[in-house]
Amino acid sequence: MVTVDYSLYLVTDSSLVPHDLTFLGQIEKALEGGVTLVQLREKDLDTGPFIELAYKVKALTRQFNVPLIINDRIDVALAIDADGVHIGQDDMPLTQARQLFGNDKIIGVSCNTIEEAQIAVHQGADYLGIGAVWNTATKKLTKKTLGIQGVQDILAAIPPIPNVVIGGIKLDNGKELLENTTGVSGLSIVSGIMAAPDAKKACKELLSMIRNYVVNP
Ligand code: TZP
Ligand code: MG
C-alpha cells in the first residue's frame, strides 16, 4: 500500500466550484496548494460519467503523487484502479469491500459514534472519517454533530489509527480542533477548498496550520 499522509484531505463537490472556475482546475489548484489526499465524491453522476471523471482526476493526482480515493463506489474504484475507497455506514460493508478490493488498497470508513469506530477498527479499516464535527451546508446531516469533545471521546475509545475529521471545518475552527484534541491525523474539507476563490492559497494556509499539530509520514 502507498504511504499516506492524511494531513489535508480534500473531498470534492463539483456543485461548490465558483462559476468562473472549473472543477478539474480547482482540484489542480488544491494539489498545488499541497492537499495530501483527494476523495472524488460525486453523488449525482451516473456510472459512465463518474468513471470518465475519475480517470481525469486520477491523471491529476498522479502528477502530484497524491492518492485518489473514490467515495461510495467500489466498482468505480476498481474500474479505474484508484488507491482507495471511502464507505459510509450505509454503503457496502467493510468486510465485503475488503474482499473485493484486497489488502493493498486503502479503505476508509465514516464513523459518528464510538461503536461505529470500534467496529471499523476491528474489521480492519485503514483510516476513519470522523464526523460531522460541526454543522455544514455541504451535506444534509442525519446524525448528531460531535463537537470537539465528541471527536476526542471517539479517539480515546479506540487504538491509534489514521483518521480525518470532517464537517464544517475552516482554518480557525480547524486550529481550535487540533489544539484541543490528541490523535487526529488530519482535516477533511469540502467547501473550504472547493468553494475557495483561490484554492491554492486556502490549502497552503490550512496545511501550514495543520503541520503545527500533526506529524504524518
Ligand atoms: N460528511 C460529513 S460532513 C460532510 C461529509 C461529506 C461534508 C463536509 O463539508 P464541509 O464543506 O467541509 O463542511
Ligand atoms: Mg457513502
Side-chain angles (χ1 to χ4, degrees):
M1 189 189 302
V2 285
T3 313
V4 185
D5 176 354
Y6 288 92
S7 302
L8 181 56
Y9 186 168
L10 167 65
V11 177
T12 72
D13 184 333
S14 55
S15 72
L16 297 175
V17 177
H19 289 300
D20 55 333
L21 302 173
T22 66
F23 178 62
L24 291 173
Q26 199 71 333
I27 295 174
E28 188 169 15
K29 285 271 171 345
L31 287 161
E32 286 167 3
V35 289
T36 57
L37 208 61
V38 173
Q39 180 190 127
L40 183 60
R41 180 178 183 269
E42 295 298 325
K43 296 284 186 186
D44 298 325
L45 280 183
D46 289 334
T47 306
F50 195 163
I51 286 178
E52 207 173 304
L53 185 64
Y55 271 125
K56 290 180 183 159
V57 176
K58 186 180 160 189
L60 275 178
T61 53
R62 281 289 172 280
Q63 277 178 40
F64 290 83
N65 219 3
V66 163
L68 174 63
I69 311 288
I70 302 292
N71 180 264
D72 285 354
R73 298 285 304 268
I74 278 267
D75 53 344
V76 173
L78 284 168
I80 71 140
D81 192 26
D83 301 290
V85 70
H86 186 91
I87 51 182
Q89 292 293 323
D90 297 326
D91 297 323
M92 183 186 293
L94 177 52
T95 311
Q96 278 76 28
R98 183 65 78 193
Q99 272 173 7
L100 287 172
F101 215 34
N103 288 323
D104 294 341
K105 301 280 189 178
I106 305 162
I107 304 186
V109 179
S110 297
C111 302
N112 175 259
T113 66
I114 289 174
E115 196 194 358
E116 287 172 359
Q118 286 171 332
I119 292 170
V121 171
H122 181 71
Q123 293 182 340
D126 294 301
Y127 76 91
L128 307 184
I130 301 175
V133 58
W134 290 296
N135 251 314
T136 173
T138 304
K139 179 179 175 178
K140 199 170 161 43
L141 300 179
T142 53
K143 301 167 181 175
K144 67 179 190 313
T145 52
L146 295 166
I148 292 175
Q149 189 58 50
V151 171
Q152 189 61 71
D153 290 346
I154 290 177
L155 289 172
I158 55 174
I161 180 171
N163 64 85
V164 288
V165 179
I166 188 164
I169 300 178
K170 308 281 183 240
L171 188 62
D172 290 356
N173 62 3
K175 183 170 188 285
E176 195 194 338
L177 173 83
L178 293 174
E179 261 168 7
N180 293 289
T181 49
T182 357
V184 172
S185 316
L187 302 183
S188 186
I189 295 184
V190 189
S191 55
I193 298 173
M194 292 311 292
D198 186 340
K200 181 174 174 180
K201 181 160 165 266
C203 290
K204 281 189 162 188
E205 286 172 359
L206 283 159
L207 201 58
S208 68
M209 179 280 286
I210 293 167
R211 294 258 186 253
N212 292 325
Y213 301 95
V214 171
V215 182
N216 267 301

